[in-house]
Amino acid sequence: MKVVFQRPTALTERQTHYCPGCTHGIIHRLVAEAIDELGVLDKAVGVASVGCSVLAYEYFNCDMQQAAHGRAPAVATGIKRVHPNNIVFTYQGDGDLASIGMAEIVHAAARGEKITVIFVNNAIYGMTGGQMAPTTLVGQKTTTSPYGRQAEHCGYPVRISELLATLQGAAYVTRVSVHDVPNIRKAKRAILKAFEVQQKGLGFSIVEVISTCPTNWGMTPLEALKWAKENMLEYYPLGEFRTPEEVK
Amino acid sequence: MAKQLMKGNEAIGEAAIRAGCRYFFGYPITPQNEVPEYMARRLPEVGGVFLQAESEVSAINMVYGAAGAGARVMTSSSSPGISLKQEGISYIAGSELPCVIINIIRGGPGLGGIQPAQSDYFQATKGGGHGDYRLFVFAPASVQEMVDLIMEAFDIADYYRNPVMVLGDGTLGQMMEPVEFKEPKKRDLPPKDWATTGAKGRKRNIINSLSLVAEQLEEHNWKLQKKYQHMKEHEQRWELYKCDDAELVLAAFGTTARIVKSVVNQLREQGIKAGLLRPITIFPFPDKAFAQLPDTVKAFLTVEMNTGQMVEDVRLAVNGKQPVHFFGRTGGIVPTPAEIIAKAKEIMGGVR
Ligand SMILES: Cc1ncc(C[n+]2csc(CCOP(=O)(O)OP(=O)(O)O)c2C)c(N)n1
Ligand code: SF4
């Protein structure tokens, strides 16, 4: 019998705790498939952050460390400096990476730290119940921006990929989305490329993934996918912002 | 091996390297800058990595990552920087990772000053960050002792899978003294089979302090407490100086203990039978030392460069049997022998 679809070996058999229709699950799968395809499961060390993906250490079937809120790039730095031949990745939300962990991500990128960052941008703090994130769109309602995010009061959402792309150490910077199948395929290729950049020792790599939070956006999964496409992609354009020659 | 003259802060670096430390993550702050500077120079020579982090927060989380990856790793800072590291230290203690942390204490609170102080005693010995954890804490009083204890600190950290903190102050960090690097007594250290090195041919390893089931977290806490209890039973260290017939026992740690030692001699010349009790570990606090004191002791005087921190542990150890007095200078002021002597005479006048 020919196997046409199966669980990647880089995922454990644990059932995830993600809400129905949350795209965290898709992104986990893409990361796992990439690890499988590159055959680096026994070299991989993942760093789980604080956010809905805090339990990622239960799901990725490799060595894992759980990091304090925002500090995953620093933790990954410590691991990578000790084991330069391991494949080290972080998996972080937008509150974790773009707010409390801004210093860590910027400096890991600036140092050209040879790690791969999977950055899940769902424009909200999922785990704590839907508060405003640094990536929340202007006008977007959250529990701490109940009238919609007002720019004059709390400024504008941060475009992490564009920001990091100004740094020379950031070898590969790309933004992808998982709101439909063609984009999921592209996201997979981007994650593969990011790991290859690390394998080749070319520097820091980050894949920003536009994701959904149906629960805290107050939408059905389908509505959420549509909302992401129609609202987020305009402010967060997809594409590669920096790509090293070697993987072009 | 011949002794060499070394500055305290540089001796810290060399001791760590001799103990097998190959990774150092830090951020500049006075008065400990010679530690990272020394490591930046020396670590590449021995195949190690020095990395200047973007903040103390990052530095301690790099330590977390490296310790979790199985390395011997150290960071050093001074009071405000140590405050910033507390969240990370709590994670390290919670995840049971070994590492060595140096705090060359300066006066506080806030930005405070850069002169010597001992005002981080509470922070070091009572946990420091959130949660019910303890560090193993050494308080050396000379550059040689600092070297000896740091070399041992890495073994102790590995043995207990617990962070070890070594306290000093600007005086100890800046002074030059002859030092000799001696191998510490061997401990049986288990292999670090829990480290995240890549799960090749073994079950995967997870470094983690999250535990969402209250019963499991409680159990984990009791497990940690067992370690601390073991430290209390087996690791207390102290020095008694001229305590055999003492009527007044002065208790002091670190730099202050050096001053107090000369105070003891001067008091004895003046007819007061004084002795010094110097804790070398301040967690575990050496309460066993108090049981060794003779019946002649009438009173205690704790001397510290703060407004009264270790004195609380002294009072717990004395347990009301004798009065426990306190003399302290703070904010970066080092107490003079004359003022300690005056305090001692005031006490002994009263007791007689
Ligand atoms: C130091 C600290 N501050 C705050 C929190 C609470 N907290 C937990 S998750 C989270 C936000 C996570 O949001 P995000 O990174 O966007 O991830 P998501 O849950 O949306 O996937 C916060 C603020 C914490 N755990 N630690
Ligand atoms: S709260 Fe939002 S981000 Fe978190 S699991 Fe649910 S849908 Fe996903």
Side-chain angles (χ1 to χ4, degrees):
Chain A
M1 201 170 61
K2 189 166 174 274
V3 176
V4 289
F5 190 78
Q6 64 181 357
R7 179 178 50 81
T9 58
L11 283 181
T12 64
E13 287 178 38
R14 267 297 273 268
Q15 192 177 341
T16 74
H17 67 288
Y18 297 113
C19 303
C22 172
T23 42
H24 262 304
I26 296 175
I27 302 164
H28 274 39
R29 183 172 175 106
L30 297 182
V31 173
E33 285 179 358
I35 290 173
D36 276 8
E37 279 171 38
L38 296 170
V40 293
L41 185 59
D42 60 4
K43 281 169 71 176
V45 182
V47 182
S49 62
V50 173
C52 280
S53 58
V54 66
L55 291 173
Y57 60 83
E58 299 271 20
Y59 310 140
F60 289 115
N61 202 6
C62 55
D63 277 3
M64 294 289 295
Q65 293 199 21
Q66 200 290 315
H69 198 20
R71 317 302 170 208
V75 172
T77 297
I79 301 167
K80 186 71 180 185
R81 295 294 177 130
V82 173
H83 299 299
N85 295 324
N86 281 19
I87 297 296
V88 181
F89 68 97
T90 72
Y91 187 104
Q92 303 175 256
D94 46 346
D96 189 88
L97 181 143
S99 191
I100 195 167
M102 191 59 129
E104 283 74 13
I105 193 66
V106 167
H107 286 278
R111 285 193 303 270
E113 210 62 61
K114 296 177 187 72
I115 59 171
T116 298
V117 173
I118 308 299
F119 168 40
V120 179
N121 180 358
N122 58 11
I124 207 158
Y125 282 42
M127 188 185 209
T128 39
Q131 294 83 4
M132 189 183 72
T135 44
T136 294
L137 297 177
V138 171
Q140 188 184 338
K141 282 190 179 163
T142 70
T143 58
T144 51
S145 58
Y147 309 110
R149 180 178 186 149
Q150 290 164 312
E152 60 278 13
H153 176 57
C154 45
Y156 296 88
V158 180
R159 291 187 181 102
I160 286 291
S161 289
E162 287 82 343
L163 191 152
L164 294 182
T166 64
L167 300 169
Q168 213 166 334
Y172 181 56
V173 181
T174 186
R175 186 184 289 120
V176 295
S177 176
V178 289
H179 68 274
D180 62 18
V181 175
N183 276 288
I184 290 173
R185 293 206 171 146
K186 278 191 204 158
K188 164 79 176 294
R189 282 199 294 276
I191 292 169
L192 267 171
K193 227 185 216 185
F195 280 126
E196 280 167 27
V197 166
Q198 182 179 168
Q199 274 185 315
K200 294 193 158 90
L202 301 175
F204 176 89
S205 54
I206 180 168
V207 181
E208 174 174 351
V209 188
I210 299 299
S211 187
T212 65
C213 178
T215 301
N216 290 302
W217 290 0
M219 297 176 195
T220 65
L222 273 178
E223 285 166 356
L225 292 172
K226 192 158 171 277
W227 192 87
K229 180 180 171 196
E230 289 173 359
N231 297 278
M232 289 184 73
L233 300 191
E234 192 186 331
Y235 191 81
Y236 299 115
L238 306 183
E240 292 187 340
F241 296 88
R242 269 180 95 98
T243 314
E245 281 305 320
E246 293 87 334
V247 294
K248 263 187 186 151
Chain B
M1 216 187 86
K3 291 197 176 191
Q4 55 195 102
L5 200 59
M6 274 189 109
K7 199 180 208 182
N9 282 339
E10 298 193 335
I12 290 172
E14 187 57 32
I17 288 169
R18 305 267 180 134
C21 169
R22 289 295 175 271
Y23 299 88
F24 182 97
F25 304 97
Y27 187 82
I29 184 169
T30 309
Q32 60 82 56
N33 289 321
E34 296 82 359
V35 183
E37 284 164 4
Y38 189 83
M39 294 310 246
R41 215 163 49 234
R42 273 286 277 145
L43 274 172
E45 291 175 3
V46 293
V49 176
F50 163 86
L51 195 60
Q52 181 167 318
E54 57 271 25
S55 70
E56 287 86 353
V57 175
S58 268
I60 194 68
N61 283 285
M62 290 172 183
V63 168
Y64 176 94
R72 282 206 156 176
V73 55
M74 182 168 91
T75 186
S76 85
S77 189
S78 177
S79 309
I82 295 290
S83 289
L84 265 184
K85 287 183 201 279
Q86 291 301 336
E87 184 200 26
I89 295 174
S90 172
Y91 273 67
I92 290 171
S95 306
E96 298 192 81
L97 296 178
C99 69
V100 175
I101 303 157
I102 310 289
N103 182 4
I104 302 297
I105 306 175
R106 56 190 252 178
L111 195 49
I114 58 170
Q115 306 299 330
Q118 297 182 316
S119 32
D120 299 349
Y121 178 93
F122 281 154
Q123 186 196 50
T125 59
K126 311 293 175 189
H130 62 285
D132 218 349
Y133 73 91
R134 295 292 184 277
L135 306 176
F136 190 110
V137 191
F138 277 131
S142 68
V143 178
Q144 180 64 59
E145 190 175 45
M146 192 151 67
V147 159
D148 293 342
L149 296 180
I150 285 171
M151 290 184 73
E152 211 186 327
F154 286 92
D155 283 355
I156 293 174
D158 283 349
Y159 184 79
Y160 286 104
R161 285 188 62 181
N162 203 69
V164 177
M165 183 174 271
V166 182
L167 296 186
D169 58 42
T171 314
L172 214 51
Q174 301 298 326
M175 69 167 55
M176 291 190 82
E177 285 189 324
V179 288
E180 190 181 358
F181 296 92
K182 297 166 286 192
E183 283 277 309
K185 76 165 199 279
K186 279 265 168 293
R187 281 179 196 250
D188 262 344
L189 299 178
K192 295 185 176 180
D193 52 10
W194 42 263
T196 58
T197 56
K200 199 176 188 115
R202 60 157 168 78
K203 247 182 65 209
R204 71 201 190 92
N205 287 330
I206 300 173
I207 302 296
N208 177 38
S209 63
L210 178 69
S211 187
L212 291 168
V213 180
E215 286 77 11
Q216 286 171 13
L217 185 53
E218 187 186 43
E219 198 179 310
H220 177 60
N221 267 279
W222 289 129
K223 182 183 162 213
L224 295 180
Q225 290 301 322
K226 243 194 195 149
K227 284 201 306 202
Y228 309 146
Q229 197 51 44
H230 191 277
M231 292 174 191
K232 286 180 189 172
E233 280 159 25
H234 301 279
E235 305 284 358
Q236 291 186 17
R237 249 181 261 185
W238 64 87
E239 179 196 354
L240 292 182
Y241 178 71
K242 297 196 175 168
C243 280
D244 290 348
D245 59 347
E247 294 183 357
L248 176 70
V249 172
L250 291 95
F253 70 96
T255 311
T256 311
R258 293 170 73 128
I259 301 165
V260 169
K261 208 173 228 181
S262 76
V263 164
V264 164
N265 292 331
Q266 292 179 48
L267 281 172
R268 283 192 171 259
E269 278 164 23
Q270 297 173 35
I272 294 178
K273 287 185 178 160
L276 165 68
L277 187 160
R278 179 174 74 89
I280 296 171
T281 53
I282 51 175
F283 189 91
F285 185 75
D287 42 23
K288 289 182 187 174
F290 292 80
Q292 293 186 359
L293 295 174
D295 296 337
T296 49
V297 178
K298 294 198 177 91
F300 289 85
L301 170 59
T302 305
V303 185
E304 299 175 64
M305 288 195 281
N306 58 46
T307 55
Q309 300 194 12
M310 185 180 77
V311 65
E312 294 192 2
D313 286 330
V314 173
R315 288 205 174 107
L316 282 173
V318 172
N319 200 15
K321 286 183 204 130
Q322 286 95 13
V324 177
H325 303 268
F326 175 74
F327 181 78
R329 295 300 304 267
T330 191
I333 304 283
V334 180
T336 64
E339 55 194 6
I340 303 170
I341 288 169
K343 180 75 185 178
K345 284 185 174 165
E346 182 193 311
I347 296 164
M348 292 316 278
V351 178
R352 272 180 185 169

